Amino acid sequence: METNQEKILEKAQERVIETLARNMDLYGITMSTGLLYGTLLFQDKSMTLDEMGEALGMSKTSMSTGVRTLMDLNMVEKIWKKGTRKDHYEVNLDWYQNFIDLFSVKWRHASEQNVHSLKKSLHELRTLQQSEDLSDELRARVELSISRIENGLEYYLWLSRLIDAFESHDIFQFVPKKESDS
């Protein structure tokens, strides 16, 4: 039988797990993968896919997909356990690094896609700009579009430097992990 203290502990952990899962969902991580991450966070030992599935009431396939996503983001790692043939997984407890990995991967991917689209459009517009039979009105619209795209490319260069600052941990020079007590 569960004691009152155990119920309080379980409720507190469930609240954190659900909140983490909802927050991760905002950034493109499925709710079930977020729940998996939160569940692993509160374990005092590594877990197998079967144990995860049992804890969350989900299929082994769902757990495998979730673990793969979390491993790609460096939020979970596979560990070797002596005497067992099953894979075991545990959460990376460095929340700062988890944030950096999650956002850097997503920001860099989105940024690269957007830069590709902007450069392609810029090339097309510059070719169009060279047309001699372009009306003055259309030329003005093309030039405005070129200017706006160039401004966007400047932003993505800045964003790339910001991502680099996260990945190199230079960001902590500007925003320390912990405020000093002085």
Side-chain angles (χ1 to χ4, degrees), residues 14-167:
E14 287 173 355
R15 183 182 307 112
V16 171
I17 291 168
E18 184 178 339
T19 300
L20 286 172
R22 266 188 277 126
N23 287 336
M24 290 173 74
D25 185 56
L26 292 172
Y27 302 105
I29 306 298
T30 64
M31 187 77 167
S32 62
T33 300
L35 291 170
L36 173 59
Y37 173 77
T39 300
L40 285 168
L41 179 66
F42 286 108
Q43 297 302 308
D44 61 350
K45 63 178 181 62
S46 62
M47 293 180 81
T48 65
L49 293 174
D50 291 328
E51 291 169 333
M52 292 175 214
E54 187 177 316
L56 291 167
M58 295 183 195
S59 71
K60 187 175 179 178
T61 304
S62 294
M63 295 300 96
S64 179
T65 301
V67 164
R68 196 172 324 110
T69 298
L70 293 170
M71 286 179 62
D72 289 346
L73 295 168
N74 298 321
M75 297 174 75
V76 166
E77 55 190 36
K78 186 185 328 186
I79 62 164
W80 178 78
K81 281 279 251 227
K82 185 177 179 178
T84 181
R85 292 178 13 193
K86 292 187 177 190
D87 292 331
H88 285 74
Y89 303 90
E90 64 184 16
V91 73
N92 177 351
L93 295 173
D94 184 344
W95 286 37
Y96 298 97
Q97 190 61 49
N98 286 343
F99 172 84
I100 288 168
D101 291 339
L102 172 66
F103 286 96
S104 293
V105 166
K106 293 200 167 289
W107 283 347
R108 193 167 304 280
H109 179 72
S111 180
E112 288 170 355
Q113 285 183 322
N114 293 346
V115 165
H116 176 75
S117 294
L118 290 174
K119 284 183 176 180
K120 183 176 180 179
S121 293
L122 187 60
H123 175 74
E124 291 169 350
L125 291 173
R126 284 187 174 148
T127 300
L128 181 61
Q129 187 181 32
Q130 300 304 313
S131 299
E132 292 185 19
D133 61 340
L134 211 57
S135 71
D136 290 343
E137 179 187 339
L138 190 54
R139 184 172 305 281
R141 288 175 51 204
V142 167
E143 289 171 0
L144 177 64
S145 294
I146 288 173
S147 172
R148 301 249 167 105
I149 289 172
E150 289 173 339
N151 188 38
L153 287 170
E154 287 177 23
Y155 162 76
Y156 285 111
L157 283 173
W158 172 85
L159 183 58
S160 180
R161 291 189 350 255
L162 178 63
I163 295 166
D164 291 343
F166 274 98
E167 291 177 337

